[in-house]
Amino acid sequence: MSNDQSQQILQAEEALKVAMQKSDIVALDNLLSEQLIFTNHLGQRLSKNDDLDLHRSGLLNIKSIELYNLDLITLQETCVVHTFASIAGTYNGQSANGHFAFSRVWAKHGDKWQVISAQSTLLAQKDAKN
């Protein structure tokens, strides 16, 4: 992947983070593929519409996201991102703070990058070693 493509993915990751914190449905709709499958830390498989509905309804409210130890693996028009995240927020009115490992697969659709697959794992504590 060229340096320009790496920069595009890093910008897309930042845009996704901001959109999640703001529950920006328009931005999320643009960043998430129609084919998205997101396996969350509870093992539930969510579609793009499921994910958007969580934000739209206010059920999910993310106050802050800190990404760290981000790695990119690329192959042509696809990029896999591995990162850790510290997240503060609420789910259904209950505290949903934690440290997570995320894997996201970005694919180029026309002139934009979209997430086609994502997976999160809840960590016992912040894992800065990996």
Side-chain angles (χ1 to χ4, degrees):
M1 179 176 262
S2 73
N3 190 38
D4 183 51
Q5 289 175 311
S6 294
Q7 282 304 112
Q8 290 174 17
I9 293 297
L10 293 174
Q11 290 170 353
E13 279 286 325
E14 180 64 21
L16 181 63
K17 180 179 95 168
V18 170
M20 291 171 61
Q21 289 177 133
K22 293 182 176 181
S23 288
D24 183 340
I25 302 305
V26 173
L28 288 168
D29 186 50
N30 190 47
L31 292 163
L32 303 177
S33 170
E34 293 299 324
Q35 294 81 32
L36 173 72
I37 296 176
F38 171 46
T39 304
N40 69 17
H41 65 285
L42 299 173
Q44 300 165 326
R45 292 177 65 175
L46 305 174
S47 68
K48 174 181 180 173
N49 287 331
D50 295 333
D51 192 63
L52 292 177
D53 285 346
L54 287 173
H55 287 277
R56 190 179 290 117
S57 68
L59 195 62
L60 177 63
N61 183 327
I62 299 173
K63 295 176 183 154
S64 68
I65 302 172
E66 173 198 347
L67 299 178
Y68 55 98
N69 292 1
L70 190 138
D71 291 307
L72 305 177
I73 301 170
T74 60
L75 178 64
Q76 297 172 342
E77 300 286 308
T78 305
C79 182
V80 178
V81 174
H82 295 279
T83 189
F84 292 104
S86 294
I87 299 177
T90 58
Y91 180 79
N92 199 19
Q94 302 294 315
S95 177
N97 303 330
H99 304 288
F100 299 85
F102 279 92
S103 296
R104 280 188 279 274
V105 179
W106 291 85
K108 192 145 191 192
H109 293 276
D111 63 344
K112 64 183 177 181
W113 289 93
Q114 292 184 313
V115 179
I116 60 170
S117 180
Q119 182 275 328
S120 67
T121 302
L122 181 63
L123 304 173
Q125 60 187 10
K126 186 172 181 177
D127 188 351
K129 296 180 299 237
N130 296 322

